[in-house]
Amino acid sequence: LSPTSAGGQWACVDILPTEPSKGVLSGLEHEVDRSIQTIRRAPEDMMHEVLLAEVQRVTGFDRIMLYKFHDDQHGEVVEEVLKHPSLTAYKAHHFPATDVPQRSRALLLQHRSRLVCHNGSPQANVVCSTASGLSPGGVPLSSSHLRGVHPCCSEYYKNMGVKSAFHLAFAPEGNLWGLVCCNHEEEWRYV
């Protein structure tokens, strides 16, 4: 349930149908707790690698990257875990600041995560319920976790062969240091 608007005029509910055969995770709380304990025990020089391995173990995504924002706002993949050796590695690659636009960074900082279950799927129409019935559009979706993917971002994913993506903001003390980026190339993924 997304927050109501400032005037209290609407509420937005995100609903996503799930199917166990599509990779829905069960027992997630236990798995996350186990991962947190594993990460805490990791030697400092192995922290990034252990973090990404645990994220991959819990989520099942093909590629997990730790993406760091530098002072000039460009990004660098500082660590990466690949499920299959045939995947193209991006570790040590640098990307321009425009690859993650400021608006996207602000939303990631606000929500701390972003899930794209199936890149390229048709966008769903938004229907608003009003006192006089249903009407299309009119609801700001920045608070919705299931909002559509921007066409530019969708094309970016398509060029990388990504069908599903999950991003976690890493923001110590409220400053966006970087992202844990999870990409999946074979099927839809839900978390």
Side-chain angles (χ1 to χ4, degrees):
L1 181 62
S2 297
T4 58
S5 68
Q9 300 297 314
W10 59 269
C12 181
V13 178
D14 289 336
I15 301 172
L16 178 68
T18 61
E19 298 175 37
S21 64
K22 296 289 185 181
V24 177
L25 302 174
S26 60
L28 183 60
E29 286 182 26
H30 171 73
E31 291 301 318
V32 168
D33 185 56
R34 180 176 149 199
S35 289
I36 289 171
Q37 298 309 318
T38 299
I39 294 163
R40 285 183 176 159
R41 288 191 303 269
E44 190 171 333
D45 63 335
M46 296 289 294
M47 188 69 66
H48 292 166
E49 187 176 328
V50 171
L51 168 68
L52 299 188
E54 286 300 307
V55 170
Q56 186 174 56
R57 185 184 66 76
V58 170
T59 65
F61 278 80
D62 293 331
R63 173 196 314 279
I64 314 293
M65 298 179 286
L66 184 58
Y67 189 89
K68 177 184 177 181
F69 295 116
H70 288 271
D71 291 339
D72 65 358
Q73 298 303 302
H74 88 276
E76 176 188 4
V77 177
V78 295
E79 190 61 66
E80 180 177 40
V81 174
L82 303 173
K83 193 173 194 174
H84 309 289
S86 61
L87 295 172
T88 302
Y90 293 106
K91 185 175 179 179
H93 281 64
H94 292 253
F95 298 90
T98 54
D99 270 13
V100 183
Q102 289 301 317
R103 178 67 181 141
S104 296
R105 294 177 196 216
L107 287 170
L108 282 162
L109 194 54
Q110 178 184 349
H111 298 294
R112 303 299 172 134
S113 66
R114 173 70 161 129
L115 176 63
V116 176
C117 294
H118 187 255
N119 183 50
S121 63
Q123 301 287 337
N125 292 326
V126 174
V127 178
C128 299
S129 175
T130 65
S132 61
L134 299 178
S135 64
V139 176
L141 295 177
S142 62
S143 293
S144 172
H145 290 277
L146 296 177
R147 66 188 176 278
V149 179
H150 190 280
C152 183
C153 185
S154 182
E155 187 67 23
Y156 186 84
Y157 287 145
K158 182 180 172 187
N159 291 341
M160 288 181 65
V162 172
K163 292 185 180 168
S164 300
F166 180 48
H167 303 289
L168 297 166
F170 185 68
E173 300 177 16
N175 298 312
L176 189 59
W177 179 91
L179 305 171
V180 174
C181 302
C182 309
N183 295 336
H184 204 65
E185 299 181 358
E186 297 175 8
E187 61 186 36
W188 293 26
R189 282 312 286 177
Y190 299 97
V191 177

